[in-house]
Amino acid sequence: MTVRRAPFTCDAWSSAELQAIVSQVAGVDLVVAFDYEIANINISVNEDASAVATVQDKPDTSAFAWHYDSFPFVHMIGGETAIRIPAGEIKKIRGPAMGTAVVMQGRYIEHQALKAQGGRERISMVIPFRPRDPSIRDELVLTGSRAISNWSELYHGFTEYRLELLEERIRLKLKEERKRVDTKRPFSVTGMTEFLAAQKDFLEATIAELTEVEEMDSC
């Protein structure tokens, strides 16, 4: 979704007030991953006329398979979710009530969407977040988005935020290096090479996500 197509929705999710609340729940300062990924709508519909009875009899049947998200954090409105904790136990998070939502580290927690109780369709809005601090390791991937997105818009949004992140990291490192000179401390070969190697890994990970796919030119 983009600001041009849905200005109210994008403004709401990008607002400082909302991001502050989500960050408080997550325990780390978060921002929306990038604009194109704002407000993904997932819809699962059971065309069976007996769907209502089936869901009520078997409320824990899945709407989507077990999976990991492409984003470090997700904020979800609507729908029901099951998560598998490290010990193997499965915990269920039923659909939040009006005015509430679920914040989850979907990139690292295996989870599954459950069918809605008492209805034929499951509708949820998912908004991906990432840490604001550029020094925190960024492991966002495009695996879950590539097959269902406009390639040009997706890749633009992804590379734009990655380059901005890299720019901020370099700016902070340059500030640190200038301060080192001012305080007459010796140059750290190890420290600088480790920093540059980390940025090289970051760029290689970015390049790996920009894969050519069939019919890309038609999007």
Side-chain angles (χ1 to χ4, degrees):
M1 190 170 292
T2 63
V3 175
R4 177 172 55 83
R5 295 191 181 105
F8 173 80
T9 301
C10 289
D11 286 348
W13 287 110
S14 300
S15 70
E17 294 83 359
L18 189 147
Q19 293 191 16
I21 294 172
V22 175
S23 297
Q24 183 179 13
V25 173
V28 60
D29 191 13
L30 300 176
V31 294
V32 171
F34 54 98
D35 286 352
Y36 182 75
E37 291 291 350
I38 290 178
N40 291 307
I41 307 298
N42 295 325
I43 302 175
S44 174
V45 179
N46 190 337
E47 299 293 347
D48 189 345
S50 61
V52 174
T54 301
V55 172
Q56 289 175 337
D57 293 339
K58 299 180 179 179
D60 296 331
T61 53
S62 65
F64 299 98
W66 287 100
H67 65 283
Y68 295 91
D69 290 335
S70 298
F71 307 98
F73 291 84
V74 293
H75 181 288
M76 186 173 68
I77 298 176
E80 296 76 33
T81 304
I83 62 174
R84 196 193 309 274
I85 62 177
E89 182 183 355
I90 296 175
K91 292 185 176 294
K92 299 180 180 66
I93 305 172
R94 281 298 171 191
M98 184 179 296
T100 65
V102 171
V103 177
M104 178 174 64
Q105 287 186 277
R107 182 78 173 88
Y108 312 105
I109 299 175
E110 188 178 16
H111 57 283
Q112 179 185 62
L114 301 178
K115 290 183 178 179
Q117 293 188 20
R120 296 182 180 178
E121 60 185 17
R122 177 189 189 275
I123 302 176
S124 62
M125 177 185 287
V126 181
I127 301 86
F129 286 83
R130 59 180 174 83
R132 184 190 302 272
D133 186 348
S135 66
I136 295 178
R137 182 180 177 87
D138 180 58
E139 297 182 318
L140 189 154
V141 296
L142 299 178
T143 306
S145 301
R146 194 177 291 110
I148 57 174
S149 300
N150 176 288
W151 312 108
S152 181
E153 293 184 19
L154 175 68
Y155 283 176
H156 166 74
F158 175 71
T159 54
E160 181 179 45
Y161 107 78
R162 298 283 280 197
L163 290 173
E164 288 175 348
L165 207 57
L166 181 62
E167 179 184 35
E168 185 61 22
R169 288 178 177 180
I170 293 174
R171 182 180 291 110
L172 290 173
K173 188 62 176 178
L174 183 58
K175 181 179 180 180
E176 178 186 299
E177 179 63 13
R178 286 169 174 165
K179 183 177 180 180
R180 179 198 64 78
V181 172
D182 291 341
T183 55
K184 296 180 172 55
R185 290 182 288 112
F187 183 87
S188 172
V189 174
T190 300
M192 183 59 75
T193 54
E194 287 180 350
F195 170 78
L196 294 175
Q199 307 325 305
K200 178 184 176 183
D201 291 343
F202 178 78
L203 283 171
E204 289 178 344
T206 302
I207 293 170
E209 293 303 314
L210 302 177
T211 58
E212 293 281 353
V213 294
E214 293 183 10
E215 301 180 0
M216 176 176 279
D217 292 339
S218 64
C219 294

